[in-house]
């Protein structure tokens, strides 16, 4: 192969490489999550909540046990630079995907309403991923969606695993989940008023605060992880 031909091949490879990076950069957050889910061997489906649709990912351990681990993700990107409301709040960090890929028990990732590409689908509106992200509306539709999942899988025991704001939702959902055995939170925001005050944010008007709810059943297993150097949700 001559020098000129070699240069053409190299140029084409560079072009393909740059085009691939461009496509990856332009892909939506949900498209990137779908790609990673496929790589990890997860199955994706849509589950109806109340008036909202929820994206659900399941691992390959379905049917191998009576206990189901339900993963609830963080708040994602509700705001851009803490100033502008995001058009798509879907998480840009797939931490829970990586954790779920290590789980040997049957597990599902339950997406929030208006996330995963549904932000512009009625009745979605920005309040549901900003001030009302932990509202009764959000809790109810997630409880209904989870009930549909549990019926289809005939699960006997359930453990909620929430990361960051997903920990908030786990605590708020606890009273509405049948056969709940335990709750695990990772950097969970368990007092949203204290968190807002710490960062100087406006109160999340319309959201429920786990710290102000009645105590959960003492028989319920709870494990809450907090990072010693976490500046967003510090140890209480």
């Amino acid at each position: 192969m001559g020098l000129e031909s070699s240069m053409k091949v190299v140029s084409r490879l560079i072009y393909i490489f740059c085009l691939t990076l461009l496509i990856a950069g332009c892909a939506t957050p949900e498209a990137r999550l779908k790609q990673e889910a496929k790589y990890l061997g997860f199955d994706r489906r849509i589950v109806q909540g109340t008036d909202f649709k929820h994206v659900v990912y399941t691992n390959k351990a379905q049917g191998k046990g009576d206990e189901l681990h339900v993963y609830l993700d963080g708040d994602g990107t509700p705001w851009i630079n803490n100033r502008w409301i995001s058009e798509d709040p879907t998480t840009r960090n797939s931490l829970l995907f990586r954790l779920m890929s290590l789980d040997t028990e049957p597990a599902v990732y339950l997406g929030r309403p208006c996330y995963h590409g549904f932000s512009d689908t009625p009745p979605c509106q920005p309040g549901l991923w900003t001030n009302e992200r932990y509202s009764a509306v959000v809790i109810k539709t997630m409880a209904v969606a989870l009930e549909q999942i549990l019926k289809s899988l005939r699960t006997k025991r359930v453990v909620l695993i929430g990361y960051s704001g997903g920990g908030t939702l786990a605590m708020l959902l606890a009273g509405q989940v049948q056969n709940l055995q335990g709750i695990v939170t990772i950097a969970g925001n368990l007092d949203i008023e204290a968190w807002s005050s710490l960062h100087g944010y406006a109160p999340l008007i319309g959201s429920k605060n786990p710290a102000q709810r009645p105590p959960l059943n003492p028989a319920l297993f709870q494990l809450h992880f907090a990072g010693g150097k976490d500046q967003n949700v510090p140890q209480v």
Side-chain angles (χ1 to χ4, degrees):
M1 181 181 294
L3 178 61
E4 183 176 351
S5 297
S6 298
M7 291 300 295
K8 288 182 178 179
V9 171
V10 172
S11 297
R12 180 167 178 77
L13 288 174
I14 293 174
Y15 171 77
I16 293 173
F17 176 71
C18 292
L19 182 61
T20 302
L21 290 179
L22 180 62
I23 292 173
C26 294
T28 64
E30 175 59 10
R32 292 193 289 271
L33 288 179
K34 286 172 65 175
Q35 185 176 15
E36 181 163 2
K38 183 178 180 180
Y39 173 78
L40 294 172
F42 297 163
D43 293 322
R44 181 183 186 273
R45 62 184 172 123
I46 307 297
V47 174
Q48 185 68 43
T50 51
D51 297 325
F52 304 90
K53 297 183 185 299
H54 298 259
V55 170
V56 173
Y57 290 96
T58 57
N59 67 0
K60 292 298 185 182
Q62 303 304 313
K64 295 184 179 180
D66 294 329
E67 183 171 285
L68 181 69
H69 294 169
V70 179
Y71 287 80
L72 305 171
D73 216 336
D75 298 336
T77 310
W79 296 89
I80 303 297
N81 296 329
N82 293 323
R83 296 182 62 186
W84 300 284
I85 296 175
S86 175
E87 293 183 359
D88 183 356
T90 305
T91 183
R92 274 68 166 169
N93 175 16
S94 56
L95 171 64
L96 278 198
F97 271 23
R98 296 191 290 275
L99 289 177
M100 197 168 92
S101 71
L102 301 174
D103 200 333
T104 57
E105 296 291 330
V108 302
Y109 173 106
L110 173 58
R112 299 193 195 191
C114 306
Y115 283 57
H116 302 278
F118 289 117
S119 59
D120 59 352
T121 302
C124 287
Q125 47 88 11
L128 294 175
W129 61 85
T130 53
N131 289 342
E132 302 164 31
R133 67 186 81 169
Y134 313 126
S135 64
V137 171
V138 171
I139 298 164
K140 179 61 176 179
T141 189
M142 294 193 73
V144 170
L146 181 54
E147 183 179 5
Q148 300 301 320
I149 295 170
L150 299 182
K151 284 181 179 179
S152 66
L153 297 178
R154 298 181 180 180
T155 301
K156 294 183 179 179
R157 298 186 303 275
V158 179
V159 175
L160 299 178
I161 303 173
Y163 166 64
S164 190
T168 313
L169 290 173
M171 297 296 288
L172 296 172
L173 277 167
Q176 302 185 46
V177 179
Q178 292 186 352
N179 301 321
L180 182 64
Q181 299 297 304
I183 297 176
V184 178
T185 68
I186 306 165
N189 184 359
L190 306 184
D191 188 338
I192 64 173
E193 288 190 8
W195 174 80
S196 296
S197 177
L198 172 68
H199 293 288
Y201 298 154
L204 297 181
I205 298 174
S207 286
K208 303 292 185 180
N209 189 358
Q212 296 178 351
R213 300 293 288 266
L216 298 176
N217 187 335
L220 189 67
F221 172 79
Q222 294 189 54
L223 183 59
H224 304 284
F225 291 99
K229 297 182 180 180
D230 189 342
Q231 297 300 310
N232 182 41
V233 186
Q235 298 184 60
V236 178

